[in-house]
Amino acid sequence: MTPLRRSLQLLPLAALLALGLVLRLAHARYGLPFVWNLDERTHFVNRAVQMFNGDFDPGYYQNPAAFTYLAYLWLRFLYGGLGFWFPLEWGTVPRQFSRDPTEIWLAARALAALLSLAGVAALYFVARRTFGRAVALVAAALLCFAFLPVAYGRIAVTDSGALAGSALAVGGAAAWVAHGRARWLVTAGAAVGIACAFKYTTGLLAVPVLAAALLRRGAVRRGLAAAAAGLALGALLFAAANPYLFVNFATAWRDLREQAAVAGLARKAGQAQPPPIYYLDSLRWGFGLVASGLAVAGAIALWRRDRRLALVVAVFPLLLFLWLSAQSRAFARWLLPAYPQLALLAGVGIVHSAGALAARVRALRRRGDAPMAVTGSRGAAVASSAPQLATVALTAIALLQPLTADLHQLRVAAAADTRELLREWLVRSGNVELRAVVEPAVPERWYVVDPTGVLPRWVGRCADEGGFGHPGWRVQLPGYERCARGKPAILARPDGALAATNYYRALYPRLIDQYRFYGYCTVITMSLVRDRAERASAAARAYYRRLDRESTVVRRFSPYRHGARPVPFHFDHSYLYYPRAYARPGPLIEVRRLRRCEQRRGLPIVRLPIAPDDRPAPGNEV
């Protein structure tokens, strides 16, 4: 094959990757300068920014550090080597991140998108080697446009990074079984380490690599040697990407055990489905209902054709599903490393089904009872192109649901988040520095008066009149003026110890009396928190019933389209906005004003609600 023809064959893949990049990067500014995904906000990019101060220990071991280090190198490349193209308004990466982190987050989200597409490209190249160009292209398209890979290709977290290693590991193992070249098995073993550098659970990929080494007749010894060499290389790659995991092994091991204990024993408040059902259901919307059915058909077809290949390709998704089903907590993204294998099986299923349909057309033509469209010279042309036409048609049917969901999520991301609308309303109305109860569905930056590094006109400095030792901060609004030591915030911040996961433990009906006593007359509820709390606690349900009775809704900010029913809380749908009911991101927000309550401003004596471990026992409240 000439180089020109080989290049032309890559055009469909290039088109897929270009469209996939557009899907992942369009409206990438959603939520900024605030970051709404909890894992995006706390685990990776902020630690990469800290590395610019010279300490390369991420100090976090519950997830591998490969994405953190790549984010650091990526930021240094963009704002160092290409700084003349990507200048930072505030000069340095740490200073920019503290003043206005928007550009840093955009760069990190772009990195996640590129890693996601690297998984698509890797799947294509390894699948083409063993299963043919048609299967490879179909599998790449399914992985490129499936809803969950697209959704997490838009978020600066580690999950997308595991796709390429997962695809290479299983694809390399399958190539060894099919062709017997040791370099493929070495590549597969090394890819296990690459995948593990992003997600610990991908260590299960060692099983198909070792299985492949044992399944090629007459070459078991050579296969085991190649697999051992590859896995050893993978271990070195993993260690290179996670050096401080070994330097601080005692701390890391403690963190990993704690994480495993929490994931395996403690179900999250608000989780309704048991993990096996949750993960099976996640395939319906995360991968696609038709695509999932075709993956089953592909596994059956591959089993009939070559049981060794079927075992190598299907064992990792099955093992990962069983492992995750044994945990108490469930998140769809934890199954994401198995999506390359599911896409490959679905590609086999589509091409096999298309071939069966084409064979049926040829059989009808030979018998002479075929429809007019498939008889004569035109029929011969149709019959010869039937496999390709059927493959395109089945692929389009399989992609209809994912692409519809991708475009819907894009439309949602283009709109302002309800939490942004709430913040703008508070500032415009002058209702700042209120003692308010804000449920923990916003990050700390949401409270900052200058999230883009520029102070609003109603904030300035004032003379030291209270013995501060330095100039104070002045707030001047219609009907409200003060000069105090501390920098103002949009609202008096709640106790930082409270998170959405344990917020329900702080709620009980008599808490509303404390709101009135301390001047917390504004209570802002958010469905992301309220729905979980009401599922988890009878005391929380009683608290919300009393709050509804004794307060008036001042303002409501809804993420739903007009006339749509609210979406029940879901650990993925409520954050990824898959349901069609969503018109904008964010929770349903209600700003409530307690009746018979004197609203106060400024820093409170007591921050309410009190952290669960500190609050007094509510007694027989319910």
Side-chain angles (χ1 to χ4, degrees):
M1 183 184 297
T2 64
L4 177 60
R5 187 175 179 183
R6 188 179 296 112
S7 299
L8 290 175
Q9 285 189 346
L10 293 177
L11 286 179
L13 175 65
L16 284 180
L17 296 177
L19 289 173
L21 188 63
V22 170
L23 276 177
R24 287 160 174 80
L25 292 185
H27 304 303
R29 287 181 176 269
Y30 71 94
L32 299 174
F34 316 105
V35 182
W36 302 121
N37 183 280
L38 178 63
D39 290 334
E40 185 180 40
R41 177 166 58 94
T42 58
H43 292 333
F44 305 105
V45 178
N46 60 326
R47 299 175 189 276
V49 170
Q50 292 169 9
M51 291 179 181
F52 281 84
N53 295 321
D55 186 358
F56 295 101
D57 184 356
Y60 170 77
Y61 311 105
Q62 293 180 2
N63 281 287
F67 186 83
T68 302
Y69 286 117
L70 281 179
Y72 166 75
L73 294 173
W74 178 243
L75 294 174
R76 182 166 286 282
F77 171 69
L78 289 181
Y79 302 116
L82 298 181
F84 56 94
W85 277 347
F86 300 98
L88 292 175
E89 181 181 1
W90 296 98
T92 65
V93 169
R95 186 174 171 82
Q96 182 74 36
F97 194 71
S98 66
R99 295 299 184 92
D100 181 5
T102 299
E103 297 302 320
I104 307 299
W105 286 114
L106 284 174
R109 288 174 177 179
L111 174 63
L114 292 174
L115 289 173
S116 177
L117 294 175
V120 175
L123 178 62
Y124 173 83
F125 286 111
V126 295
R128 187 181 64 174
R129 180 70 182 178
T130 304
F131 299 93
R133 184 168 173 266
V135 170
L137 195 57
V138 171
L142 293 174
L143 184 62
C144 185
F145 299 122
F147 177 75
L148 201 64
V150 171
Y152 278 96
R154 300 168 58 82
I155 302 173
V157 292
T158 191
D159 301 83
S160 294
L163 292 175
S166 178
L168 288 172
V170 172
W176 158 259
V177 170
H179 307 293
R181 294 186 178 178
R183 67 171 182 266
W184 282 106
L185 205 52
V186 174
T187 300
V192 175
I194 295 173
C196 279
F198 292 93
K199 296 289 290 186
Y200 291 127
T201 51
T202 55
L204 292 170
L205 286 165
V207 174
V209 173
L210 292 172
L214 296 171
L215 287 174
R216 186 166 180 83
R217 296 172 185 171
V220 172
R221 182 176 297 179
R222 189 161 61 97
L224 287 175
L231 291 172
L233 178 58
L236 291 176
L237 292 172
F238 173 80
N242 296 271
Y244 287 92
L245 183 70
F246 303 95
V247 173
N248 301 321
F249 185 76
T251 302
W253 182 246
R254 184 194 64 216
D255 289 352
L256 289 173
R257 285 191 303 172
E258 290 176 357
Q259 174 76 354
V262 169
L265 301 175
R267 179 175 292 187
K268 278 208 169 191
Q271 183 176 315
Q273 295 175 309
I277 303 301
Y278 192 96
Y279 286 115
L280 289 174
D281 182 64
S282 75
L283 294 177
R284 173 184 59 82
W285 54 266
F287 187 63
L289 186 60
V290 175
S292 298
L294 287 167
V296 174
I300 295 172
L302 193 58
W303 179 262
R304 290 175 176 173
R305 191 179 82 189
D306 190 329
R307 294 185 177 183
R308 300 173 304 163
L309 282 178
L311 179 63
V312 167
V313 175
V315 68
F316 173 67
L318 181 60
L319 286 176
L320 186 60
F321 171 76
L322 293 175
W323 171 263
L324 295 177
S325 295
Q327 311 302 307
S328 294
R329 298 185 174 190
F331 300 94
R333 70 178 185 274
W334 288 359
L335 194 59
L336 189 59
Y339 273 48
Q341 292 78 41
L342 295 176
L344 179 55
L345 290 172
V348 172
I350 286 175
V351 173
H352 175 79
S353 300
L357 288 173
R360 177 64 174 166
V361 170
R362 287 194 294 269
L364 289 173
R365 190 167 181 272
R366 282 196 301 268
R367 282 164 37 191
D369 57 353
M372 187 176 297
V374 293
T375 58
S377 59
R378 180 179 298 178
V382 171
S384 64
S385 61
Q388 293 84 356
L389 293 174
T391 298
V392 171
L394 288 175
T395 304
I397 293 171
L399 287 175
L400 180 61
Q401 178 193 356
L403 280 172
T404 301
D406 295 338
L407 294 175
H408 167 71
Q409 190 191 45
L410 268 187
R411 288 192 296 269
V412 172
D417 193 290
T418 54
R419 292 160 289 195
E420 293 179 86
L421 297 179
L422 167 64
R423 191 181 184 281
E424 292 172 2
W425 175 75
L426 289 168
V427 173
R428 285 198 312 269
S429 62
N431 292 322
V432 296
E433 293 215 302
L434 297 179
R435 294 187 187 180
V437 178
V438 185
E439 294 188 336
V442 294
E444 285 293 305
R445 179 168 286 275
W446 185 88
Y447 294 94
V448 176
V449 294
D450 55 338
T452 60
V454 179
L455 287 170
R457 283 182 289 182
W458 48 272
V459 175
R461 304 309 294 262
C462 56
D464 179 5
E465 299 176 356
F468 309 149
H470 58 78
W473 289 93
R474 173 183 54 80
V475 175
Q476 191 170 17
L477 290 165
Y480 177 67
E481 184 173 354
R482 64 89 158 166
C483 176
R485 176 195 299 267
K487 192 175 183 178
I490 293 297
L491 296 172
R493 301 188 187 193
D495 189 340
L498 289 173
T501 52
N502 65 355
Y503 189 76
Y504 71 94
R505 296 175 55 214
L507 303 180
Y508 54 102
R510 280 185 56 191
L511 185 60
I512 293 172
D513 297 327
Q514 297 182 31
Y515 293 167
R516 287 193 172 99
F517 183 81
Y518 290 105
Y520 286 81
C521 303
T522 301
V523 181
I524 300 176
T525 64
M526 303 197 184
S527 58
L528 289 175
V529 178
R530 177 169 180 165
D531 290 355
R532 294 176 68 178
E534 289 184 321
R535 288 185 188 180
S537 165
R541 289 192 292 274
Y543 160 83
Y544 282 112
R545 285 196 298 268
R546 185 180 178 190
L547 178 64
D548 291 344
R549 288 194 308 269
E550 300 182 17
S551 66
T552 302
V553 176
V554 177
R555 193 67 183 263
R556 179 180 285 109
F557 300 91
S558 174
Y560 307 118
R561 58 181 173 81
H562 181 70
R565 297 179 61 182
V567 176
F569 177 80
H570 187 280
F571 273 104
D572 284 292
H573 292 173
S574 297
Y575 299 93
L576 302 180
Y577 312 113
Y578 176 84
R580 300 297 183 270
Y582 283 103
R584 64 175 66 251
L588 174 64
I589 299 174
E590 290 184 341
V591 182
R592 291 183 167 271
R593 177 66 183 265
L594 282 175
R595 294 187 287 272
R596 306 184 307 279
C597 182
E598 181 183 351
Q599 178 69 60
R600 299 181 186 177
R601 290 195 181 196
L603 291 177
I605 300 172
V606 175
R607 295 190 176 186
L608 297 174
I610 301 171
D613 294 336
D614 300 329
R615 71 169 174 83
N620 297 322
E621 296 289 345
V622 182

